[in-house]
Amino acid sequence: MITHMLAFKFRDDLPAGVAESVLAELDTFPQKYPAMRNWRSGVNVSTRDTTMTHGFVVEFATEQELLDYLHSESHERFVRERWRPVVERQVIVSLPTGDA
């Protein structure tokens, strides 16, 4: 199993509703990418580090399933057209959990 995590912060100067629209689209990913398991997303509620405002966690059965998702045309298009223009910073971590 591979756990794929992103923590991110939207740009401060976004027009109203843009961040919410991107978050809503992200939440449709498990329906678009059947290899995704245990999708969770939300606002960072940490009181210790508020560098990132949002995050998501998802699992894939294998590293190849993660790579197939990351390199799919629809994911690449989303990153290029929707994600990069609105996200100020991000941290991405993918790690094996259990039997990988």
Side-chain angles (χ1 to χ4, degrees):
M1 187 74 60
I2 302 293
T3 300
H4 181 64
M5 304 172 282
L6 266 78
F8 57 96
K9 179 185 184 315
F10 286 107
R11 289 185 11 221
D12 291 331
D13 62 347
L14 293 181
V18 171
E20 292 78 6
S21 172
V22 170
L23 292 170
E25 188 170 348
L26 278 174
D27 281 337
T28 69
F29 276 27
Q31 291 80 40
K32 294 178 184 177
Y33 304 101
M36 287 184 159
R37 300 173 183 186
N38 300 316
W39 170 266
R40 296 168 314 280
S41 66
V43 174
N44 179 12
V45 297
S46 174
T47 58
R48 299 191 73 184
D49 186 348
T50 58
T51 306
M52 304 300 179
T53 59
H54 295 77
F56 70 80
V57 177
V58 65
E59 296 173 335
F60 293 86
T62 66
E63 188 173 353
Q64 187 59 53
E65 285 184 353
L66 169 62
L67 292 173
D68 290 346
Y69 153 71
L70 292 174
H71 298 298
S72 69
E73 175 54 34
S74 57
H75 175 263
E76 292 289 340
R77 185 173 45 259
F78 172 82
V79 169
R80 186 175 54 250
E81 297 174 5
R82 296 280 284 151
W83 187 258
R84 287 187 188 136
V86 301
V87 171
E88 181 177 313
R89 47 187 354 197
Q90 66 183 16
V91 175
I92 303 170
V93 177
S94 299
L95 53 102
T97 52
D99 296 330

